[in-house]
Amino acid sequence: DLVTGEQAFAILEAIHTLDIAELHSRYSEDCLLDLVDYYDLDLKEAFEFCMARGWSLPFGVRTFLRVEQEEELLDVLGAEGY
């Protein structure tokens, strides 16, 4: 009841057709929580920034952002050493 047949098929299709190396290269090496710690950013401010942009954070602060999202976050919040 939680997943339709179409959604299940899409998941199976993705599992069998995606290039794992390409998929891995699209995402940050660190989750949001680790990013704000590493760059000494305010967690609440970073989380609210992501929410304002409408970014999906299915695991909350443990979500790994896409590379371009990470770059935007660090640029806008002024991360030192980035």
Side-chain angles (χ1 to χ4, degrees):
D1 290 338
L2 297 176
V3 179
T4 67
E6 185 177 319
Q7 291 170 326
F9 179 77
I11 291 170
L12 288 173
E13 183 178 41
I15 289 171
H16 292 289
T17 59
L18 289 175
D19 178 6
I20 298 301
E22 181 183 333
L23 185 60
H24 182 72
S25 69
R26 293 181 186 178
Y27 287 88
S28 171
E29 293 290 323
D30 299 302
C31 67
L32 180 59
L33 185 61
D34 293 338
L35 285 172
V36 298
D37 182 52
Y38 183 79
Y39 290 103
D40 197 28
L41 302 172
D42 181 67
L43 179 59
K44 184 176 185 228
E45 184 180 2
F47 184 81
E48 288 175 353
F49 176 84
C50 294
M51 292 290 93
R53 293 287 191 276
W55 297 347
S56 177
L57 299 177
F59 305 110
V61 296
R62 296 282 183 193
T63 300
F64 288 78
L65 299 175
R66 291 191 315 268
V67 171
E68 65 273 8
Q69 291 173 326
E70 177 185 348
E71 290 171 356
E72 183 179 350
L73 174 78
L74 297 176
D75 284 343
V76 171
L77 297 185
E80 296 288 326
Y82 169 70

